[in-house]
Amino acid sequence: MRIAIQGATGSFHHIAAEHWFGSGNDYICCETFGDVFTALSEKKADSAVVAIENSRFGSITEVYDLLLEHKFPIVGEVAEQIHQQLIGLPGAKLTDIDEVYSHPVALGQTSRFLDSKLKNAEKVEFFDTAAAVEHIKRIGSIHNAAIAGHLAAEMHNMRILAKNIEDEQQNYTRFLIIKNGRTVVKNANKTSLVLQTDHQPSALYRAMGIFAKRNVNLTKLQSRPISGKVWKYQFYIDVETAGKQLDDIRHDLIADGCKVTILGQYMADPKTYED
Amino acid sequence: MRIAIQGATGSFHHIAAEHWFGSGNDYICCETFGDVFTALSEKKADSAVVAIENSRFGSITEVYDLLLEHKFPIVGEVAEQIHQQLIGLPGAKLTDIDEVYSHPVALGQTSRFLDSKLKNAEKVEFFDTAAAVEHIKRIGSIHNAAIAGHLAAEMHNMRILAKNIEDEQQNYTRFLIIKNGRTVVKNANKTSLVLQTDHQPSALYRAMGIFAKRNVNLTKLQSRPISGKVWKYQFYIDVETAGKQLDDIRHDLIADGCKVTILGQYMADPKTYED
């Protein structure tokens, strides 16, 4: 199978994809999330794995926008516990480092470590964690470090200068599995959908009542601007239901004046449940 | 007055600050939003102006997090219509450009223009729009351009190569005015608050009912992770009320098990109302 991921092999997207699909697949490594969706559109990939949120950093809103724009179905989710490593050349020491390369999210996840141990080092945003490791290897300076997962250090024979430097030990990223083409997931128990209300006061409150009266739990509520409409928002909602009950909810929402777009029905990863 | 802004003079923060405070003030130009809040904490600034959302790009979640962390009161808001300019050296033409520097939000706001007219140019993220203009002026290559407001081009005697290149003509950024020290705003009609529910199913629905039964309109609902709590969210809410009615709402929310933090009560900018 051809799987599009954001970032290089060795990245957390790669790790998440291996957990979902197993080994022996081909990877289409894309620089941006936009490129991942283009790879699906152009049928260069059969599936894709995209990060949608980190438990500390929050939603990756660009991916929310792309999901609605392209409407490839979500067929699964996988939550990965993220451990970030400070990675340098084999001869480097922590005190040598004056430039740190990584993805903005990884820089955000390790800001407490960076602010205390590498206060004066310049933080350079890079499109991918694992590619940042490749980049500093190519430069070959002991003054450069990258932040990435352990797999990237191993793949490139680099040294871990500081281990598990993430600010919060309970640091998870939730990845979505999306598929090129229609599909029905058996035993789905979770639905991702986009809701546009009629923009009247209390419209969102009424819509949430439609879930509440069935005791359906919302696990996520993410507002995003509606393109072309100033100060109007749509809501990306994850709910713990699917199938017939979801059909009923959708019917009631539409009857109440909402526009509903189903992004996918799939099995929840138990690691995404609240503690 | 000493006003901290993110970015250089000539930036949209500068323009918003002049609209609010008038001219004749001193500016503390900060590279990051974190630095803006540090300038207030260290009493190097009396007030600050921070962008909180763009009508196309959405919330600047980092600022939401900083508002709650530091709790400097919000005393006002100002919405600026954003026109982005492609700016180059006086001798440059659009066809010369192979590198475009700007803030990620400005790159996002002009992606349609960039994808059509500068498809092969490299997009380089910079910490500020106006500073990107300074940067390409210093480099001095006709192959570099920056995206910024017209004021930055004028201040640096640079050429506008393409005018008003934002994807959406109705493109506004909402800025908050925050103050170093407690204050009461007269005639406040809007409140920003942070709500933590008790994490039971329907808790947010019940909380929204407390607003709805008073016909109080929510103009913004932004979820953010709660630091240290995996898959738990708090809600940043803007409501069209203040004063006594807000006190009553706060009382009811607390009685229902919510934790409520008031970030500020202030006058709504009419440009932030829905069409």
Side-chain angles (χ1 to χ4, degrees), chain B residues 5 28 39 45 63 104 112 119 171 193 196-198 210 234 258:
Chain B
I5 58 172
I28 321 287
V63 175
R112 218 174 297 154
K119 196 172 167 38
N171 181 12
L193 58 91
Q196 285 191 14
T197 66
D198 62 3
I210 291 168
Q234 53 200 340
C258 292

Side-chain angles (χ1 to χ4, degrees), chain A residues 53 55 57-58 125 168 170 172 204-205 208-209 219-221 223-225 227-228 230-231 233 271-272 274, chain B residues 53 55 57-58 125 168 170 172 201 204-205 208-209 219-221 223-225 227-228 230-231 233 271-272 274:
Chain A
E53 69 173 323
S55 59
F57 206 69
E125 295 190 354
E168 298 190 9
Q170 292 291 310
Y172 289 86
L204 180 62
Y205 171 66
M208 289 178 69
T219 58
K220 188 74 196 286
L221 173 66
S223 60
R224 291 291 299 151
S227 183
V230 176
W231 311 130
Y233 305 91
K271 291 198 295 299
T272 66
E274 292 190 0
Chain B
E53 68 173 321
S55 59
F57 206 67
E125 295 190 356
E168 297 190 11
Q170 292 292 310
Y172 289 85
L204 179 64
Y205 170 66
M208 290 179 70
T219 58
K220 187 74 195 287
L221 173 66
S223 61
R224 289 292 299 152
S227 183
V230 176
W231 311 130
Y233 305 93
K271 291 199 294 302
T272 66
E274 295 192 357

Side-chain angles (χ1 to χ4, degrees), chain B residues 204-216:
Chain B
L204 179 64
Y205 170 66
R206 287 202 319 273
M208 290 179 70
I210 291 168
F211 297 99
K213 78 176 184 188
R214 293 177 174 87
N215 292 315
V216 168

Side-chain angles (χ1 to χ4, degrees), chain A residues 226-246:
Chain A
I226 300 176
S227 183
K229 295 191 179 173
V230 176
W231 311 130
K232 289 188 178 162
Y233 305 91
Q234 53 201 338
F235 299 93
Y236 289 74
I237 293 174
D238 290 344
V239 288
E240 289 181 329
T241 190
K244 171 71 171 71
Q245 190 176 42
L246 195 276

